Amino acid sequence: MLSLEEVKLYLKVDGDEDNTLITDLIGAAEELCQDILRFPLTEFAEVPETVKQALLYAIGNLYELREAVDMKALIEFMTRLLFAYRREGW
C-alpha cells in the first residue's frame, strides 16, 4: 500500500539504517488496518486517502513510540478513522 520511500518521507528519516524496521512497521500497520476493516487492503481498487493516513498514523506511532506505544489508544483512533469502510464481519 505504501512504499518505504513514502513512509521515510513521512517519518522524516534520511538514512537507510532503519529500513528493515520501517518495512516491518509497514507490514504491522497493514495488518492492524485489515483487522479493523475486516477485509484485506488488496480489495480496494484505489486505497482511500483516509486509509493511507491511518496507515501512516500507525507507522508513525509504532516508530516514534516503539518503547511505550499505547496500542489501545492507537487501535481506538484507527477504528474511528476507518469506521466508514469497516465491514460487519469477516
Side-chain angles (χ1 to χ4, degrees):
M1 297 289 113
L2 296 172
S3 70
L4 177 60
E5 291 74 29
E6 287 176 290
V7 174
K8 285 175 71 173
L9 182 65
Y10 176 80
L11 296 174
K12 296 182 171 76
V13 173
D14 294 326
D16 295 332
E17 305 84 34
D18 286 343
N19 282 1
T20 301
L21 172 63
I22 294 169
T23 300
D24 290 344
L25 295 178
I26 292 169
E30 288 176 353
E31 285 183 34
L32 276 172
C33 274
Q34 291 176 140
D35 288 346
I36 292 167
L37 292 170
R38 297 180 179 150
F39 64 89
L41 294 173
T42 55
E43 286 191 20
F44 284 115
E46 185 175 331
V47 180
E49 194 59 36
T50 305
V51 175
K52 288 181 183 178
Q53 290 304 312
L55 286 166
L56 289 170
Y57 178 81
I59 295 164
N61 273 270
L62 293 170
Y63 183 77
E64 295 294 329
L65 305 171
R66 52 193 123 163
E67 299 297 324
V69 67
D70 183 349
M71 287 303 290
K72 182 179 180 200
L74 174 66
I75 291 169
E76 285 176 6
F77 181 81
M78 290 178 66
T79 301
R80 289 187 183 112
L81 204 56
L82 299 169
F83 187 77
Y85 302 100
R86 192 171 193 210
R87 290 194 181 150
E88 289 294 319
W90 283 94

